[in-house]
Amino acid sequence: MPKNNSIHKIAVIGSGPIIIGQAAEFDYAGSQACISLREEGYEVILINSNPSTIMTDDEIADKVYLEPLTLDSVSKILAKEQPDALLPTLGGQTGLNLAVELNDAGVLDKYHIELLGTGLKTIEQAEDRQQFKQLMQDINQPVPASLTVHNLDDALNFAKKIGYPVIVRPAYTLGGTGGGIALNQDELVKIGTRGLSMSPVTECLIEKSIAGFKEIEFEVMRDANGDKISVCCMENFDPVGIHTGDSIVVAPSQSLNDHQFQQLRYASLSIVEALKIKGGCNVQLAQDPNSDQYYIIEVNPRVSRSSALASKATGYPIAKIAAKIAVGLDLNEITNPVTQTTYAAFEPALDYVVAKIPRFPFDKFTGADRQLGTQMKATGEVMGIGLTIEEALLKAVASLEIEPQIETSLLPLTKQTDEELSFALTHPTDQRLFEIFSALDRYWSVKKIADLTKITPIFLHKLAHIWQLKNSLGGQLTSSLLADAKQYGFSNAMIAAASGKSELQIEELIVQSNIAPVYKMVDTCAGEFASATPYFYSSFFPGENESKPLGKSIIVLGSGPIRIGQGVEFDYTTVHCVQAIQQAGYHAIIVNNNPETVSTDFSISDKLYFEPLTTESVMNIVNLEQPLGVIVQFGGQTAINLTASLVQHGVKILGTSLAGIDQTEDRHQFEELLIGQHIAQPKGATTMNLEEAAAIAPHIGYPVMVRPSFVLGGRAMAVVHNEDELANYVDKAMKAAPHQPILIDHYVAGIECEADILSDGHDVFIPGIMEHLEGSGIHSGDSIAMYPSQRLTDQQKQAIESIAIKIGKQVHCVGMMNIQFIVADQVYVIEVNPRASRTVPFMSKITGQHLAKIATSLIMGNSLADLGLEAGCAKEPAHVSIKAPVFSFTKNYLAWTALYLLK
Amino acid sequence: MKSTGETIGLGDSYEEAMHNALSDSYHLTAPIGEQTALVDEASAQDTSLMNLLNQINIDIQVIAANETPTINPSNVWLVINSETEQTTTTKLNYFALSNGIPFFSATETLKGILTSQSAEAHGLRPVCKSTMLINRGLGD
């Protein structure tokens, strides 16, 4: 069917702020969809309240409303804009819920707004448990038997009827607490009573347990004509019972036989047909490991986290195609953007394996319950691509940026007894992969581990193969052994840990053995058709290198997985950096490993390397591409942390030099920098014990802020006013992080503010000074930030400006930096980040200046004057902009919630 | 740091911007009917906070953080707990979080917000492609 010409203006609803379970994948989907609709000539109106995304960039839609995603606010926008249609399926659950609310309130009818894509009836059928159950029964698709109960007797009767085990899911409890699996009547009495009492509405769902089944997902597309394809089949490494967002996932599926695969594929296609989906749809299924029995778990009639993963796994841009289907185009009318020669109706095929591993926030949410279950806890994810499962998995591990010792030894940090390990394997946490390695290290059989974990043996055999290779690395390191390890995904750091040699020695041995990677293309069709996708992954298996150096190129390092403290804003800055490089006439190459984001959309850059952000991976790419330089300023701390070792390897860093970066990052050099420029800094010192602390504190001056240097999240941070309080708190800090230094700083009570600065190495431009609503002591990322400032005097602003200029000049900043201040009796500097910061997208959008692009132009050699910018602080606007944090406390049971711990 | 994301609020005034920013973050809106603010014992010591709450004529109930409130959740406007050691399972917090009640764990956040509450109607401002947000009033 040709595209819908009766509509001209389309409103798109975004997904709002990032929370656990609804993250950067919707920035990717939303941006793709908006671009896709504009390609077709439609006027696009975007509504989203998240300032940090690419989606809310002025270039993505014709008009962007940075307004609340509430019925009232969106109704007003629709009344004003009077769009012909609304596309609700790209903004996650938030977008869908809002579309339902708008419909129920009669807003869509009132303004004659047509709903595009999957209809509301379908959405309701997929989301309402009863309607969904009925539909599945109508089309003969099996769902686990379930019943909502309000008393124990009903629960027991139902369980007797369907047989044990059953899952008890209490309604409206935090993180599903109070639920569990009952293996028999006695257990159901216990768990059912607890669940009913914990549920605020005394309600539980009793469901036939399929925990331990294989969890399989199909990403399916259907057009209005009824044509359907399966884009990707993904298999969860973890069994049913762990949220798919918290599961390790591989694609294509690995353990299904052909009959099972076809059965599940057929079921998925039948469901999207019955639901009359128009666009993309995610179908989750459970496969009995011991028979051909399967069940439908759930259906998401929209783009999702899994569709982002499937897009990156296959190269097939699901959201882009879904948007085109929504405006009437059929799959056989849409060109596949990857091959440019086939149509979107062509099912992708993979000649490689991808593995996704979730990134959990427990490094920051210390104390939170780490056990995985049906409530998602991860904040982000990484993906590894390889020719074998082993390689894909180990690349993903190397991308996680967790404790380096875990990443390289592949073992948990703390030694567990056999009993503890058995318990851990039956009660999986974020550490389960490393605990399985620990079990393999104890020569536990695959069967024993499979019995404990319910993980499909094929995956455990792959882990056993990794472990066998790792053990062999402890002996004589021959060339063939090294080649083997590299082919199965071992990083140099992992080989170094296994062999007891240094990483440098391994690097040298690899060079001596002539072992080098080749790069393979992700082409969606397993080489069946010619394609020119600029999307590559490395492999050490012999083969042709398919990535030809671009020449005149610059490499931009991305920021890896989304985690607390490093979110989607760094993807925004990475994408803007790439665009500025391209505008300047150079080729931009991205290295990143996060499948959710816009930056890993291969159409964003001239070339995408989907690789771990490690010195080794980056150097292999540098050696091939021979770029003019590498930019590290936009990929958060991930990229900055690689600077020193890249410089040691002879890489030219574009922008602020390593020396300048060190001046701000090294505590000692930073102190010298501030003293040299007569800039005040709260006095501080580092100590290892109470005696020293008690001696130092009076010199620093009470009140002092005490915090262990390695425990983040503020648990053991406190402000103390005298020696008694100090003793009490140091004791706690020592317990929270034994043998780690404790930082003691004079606590300056005052107004906290921050500024991003841009510099060409000579002059400094300050787009604006943001003031935090909360005083000093609360992390800037947890504070409400306001621009322009509401309480600072002109004199204080001038002092901040003058300090920012001094620091920028002194470190010869080229590009951008972020400086944080406390304004009290005078202006103090508390921190300088030698890179783009969390506030860059916010400030860019409210000042109308693309700061990351400007910074990139400065890095490329332009002066502030060339860009028409005057040195000094920009004039403040009359209107007010406020950035407020969003917490996902409901998703992390037992997490610490205090924003600061002032006594 | 504990936040996972952020939201933006724009306005011609501080009050309006704050109102918009809070809609999708703390989800705090003007109290409906006779809603109550649940204040933990530590926060209740903060006289400036209590004065601000009193100024807006809201019912205040002071409660121990480790006590589960017995009040109907729909009658609660917000929960503030500034105890130093608190988690999502602290009874007062659990009550707020499991019932979707706006929850604050720093008195300064709430104090800042309370000074900016405004009931005025709010206009709409698109970011125009040519002008971006700084001139967002254009074309209205």
Side-chain angles (χ1 to χ4, degrees), chain A residues 240-320:
Chain A
V240 171
I242 295 181
H243 193 288
T244 180
D246 285 353
S247 293
I248 296 171
V249 175
V250 300
S253 64
Q254 299 294 316
S255 76
L256 300 178
N257 62 35
D258 187 51
H259 171 72
Q260 290 169 340
F261 176 84
Q262 294 303 340
Q263 186 168 257
L264 300 186
R265 179 177 177 276
Y266 178 77
S268 303
L269 294 176
S270 305
I271 291 168
V272 297
E273 184 57 40
L275 284 167
K276 303 285 178 226
I277 297 283
K278 281 185 270 180
C281 184
N282 164 262
V283 182
Q284 294 176 21
L285 310 103
Q287 173 69 53
D288 186 341
N290 303 312
S291 76
D292 282 343
Q293 177 65 52
Y294 70 93
Y295 292 101
I296 311 298
I297 304 174
E298 73 175 49
V299 171
N300 292 304
R302 52 173 172 82
V303 298
S304 62
R305 180 183 46 262
S306 296
S307 65
L309 179 64
S311 291
K312 300 296 165 62
T314 60
Y316 188 100
I318 292 174
K320 194 175 256 183

Side-chain angles (χ1 to χ4, degrees), chain B residues 38-52:
Chain B
L38 292 186
V39 179
D40 83 295
E41 287 166 341
S43 306
Q45 304 294 317
D46 188 328
T47 46
S48 58
L49 171 70
M50 297 307 271
N51 286 341
L52 281 164

Side-chain angles (χ1 to χ4, degrees), chain A residues 196-263:
Chain A
L196 286 164
S197 74
M198 285 187 80
S199 165
V201 291
T202 323
E203 179 182 303
C204 284
L205 183 80
I206 308 296
E207 190 179 70
K208 171 87 185 159
S209 172
I210 47 169
F213 277 34
K214 297 175 185 180
E215 189 161 346
I216 309 290
E217 291 182 81
F218 271 86
E219 286 302 318
V220 189
M221 306 291 294
R222 180 185 178 277
D223 61 24
N225 201 31
D227 281 334
K228 328 170 251 305
I229 64 162
S230 149
V231 174
C232 188
C233 171
M234 296 173 280
E235 179 167 356
N236 288 13
F237 169 99
D238 298 289
V240 171
I242 295 181
H243 193 288
T244 180
D246 285 353
S247 293
I248 296 171
V249 175
V250 300
S253 64
Q254 299 294 316
S255 76
L256 300 178
N257 62 35
D258 187 51
H259 171 72
Q260 290 169 340
F261 176 84
Q262 294 303 340
Q263 186 168 257

Side-chain angles (χ1 to χ4, degrees), chain A residues 817-875:
Chain A
M817 283 189 171
N818 170 270
I819 308 177
Q820 303 196 2
F821 309 87
I822 298 175
V823 179
D825 56 321
Q826 57 180 324
V827 176
Y828 295 83
V829 168
I830 46 174
E831 192 174 316
V832 175
N833 294 304
R835 53 170 170 80
S837 74
R838 184 178 304 108
T839 52
V840 171
F842 171 73
M843 282 304 280
S844 296
K845 284 165 193 180
I846 62 178
T847 62
Q849 291 165 315
H850 292 129
L851 300 178
K853 283 187 184 170
I854 295 172
T856 306
S857 296
L858 297 170
I859 291 170
M860 305 286 289
N862 287 302
S863 66
L864 286 175
D866 291 340
L867 303 174
L869 292 170
E870 271 181 45
C873 198
K875 195 170 169 286

Side-chain angles (χ1 to χ4, degrees), chain A residues 547-738:
Chain A
S547 174
K548 303 290 171 247
L550 289 176
K552 207 184 168 190
S553 66
I554 291 168
I555 290 178
V556 181
L557 301 186
S559 57
I562 304 270
R563 67 207 91 159
I564 304 278
Q566 194 164 296
V568 70
E569 54 276 3
F570 296 101
D571 203 62
Y572 168 92
T573 53
T574 300
V575 169
H576 271 225
C577 172
V578 161
Q579 290 169 341
I581 291 169
Q582 290 173 325
Q583 279 159 13
Y586 296 88
H587 291 121
I589 297 172
I590 288 187
V591 186
N592 203 358
N593 52 43
N594 183 339
E596 303 173 289
T597 57
V598 177
S599 72
T600 52
D601 176 346
F602 64 81
S603 62
I604 289 293
S605 56
D606 293 294
K607 199 183 272 189
L608 164 66
Y609 284 98
F610 211 103
E611 290 287 307
L613 284 159
T614 59
T615 305
E616 179 191 351
S617 296
V618 175
M619 282 315 299
N620 284 334
I621 296 163
V622 166
N623 289 337
L624 174 70
E625 293 287 348
Q626 298 292 320
L628 298 169
V630 174
I631 295 183
V632 294
Q633 274 182 31
F634 301 101
Q637 207 56 36
T638 299
I640 285 288
N641 289 347
L642 292 177
T643 314
S645 67
L646 290 178
V647 169
Q648 276 167 17
H649 281 79
V651 170
K652 184 177 179 190
I653 299 296
L654 302 179
T656 310
S657 68
L658 176 63
I661 291 172
D662 281 347
Q663 270 184 295
T664 64
E665 294 244 302
D666 178 88
R667 196 173 159 110
H668 180 65
Q669 286 191 46
F670 185 50
E671 262 174 35
E672 281 190 348
L673 164 75
L674 297 184
I675 291 167
Q677 294 301 305
H678 309 290
I679 298 167
Q681 182 193 21
K683 271 190 192 169
T686 308
T687 169
M688 295 295 287
N689 56 54
L690 175 61
E691 253 177 32
E692 251 177 46
I696 292 167
H699 293 290
I700 290 169
Y702 286 106
V704 293
M705 193 187 290
V706 200
R707 58 203 154 112
S709 58
F710 285 92
V711 171
L712 299 164
R715 178 188 170 187
M717 183 174 98
V719 173
V720 297
H721 300 79
N722 52 51
E723 198 172 329
D724 284 350
E725 287 180 8
L726 181 74
N728 184 13
Y729 278 91
V730 167
D731 184 47
K732 280 188 185 174
M734 291 289 205
K735 278 181 184 149

Side-chain angles (χ1 to χ4, degrees), chain A residues 398 404-405 407-409 477 482 486 490-512 612-620 641-642 645-646 648-649:
Chain A
Q405 195 188 322
E407 269 189 13
T408 53
S409 72
L477 271 187
L482 272 178
K486 294 308 288 179
F490 278 79
S491 67
N492 289 354
M494 290 172 192
I495 298 175
S499 63
K501 295 192 183 325
S502 74
E503 218 179 314
L504 190 65
Q505 286 173 309
I506 302 299
E507 238 180 84
E508 284 166 3
L509 279 173
I510 281 174
V511 172
Q512 283 162 20
L613 284 159
T614 59
T615 305
E616 179 191 351
S617 296
V618 175
M619 282 315 299
N620 284 334
N641 289 347
L642 292 177
S645 67
L646 290 178
Q648 276 167 17
H649 281 79

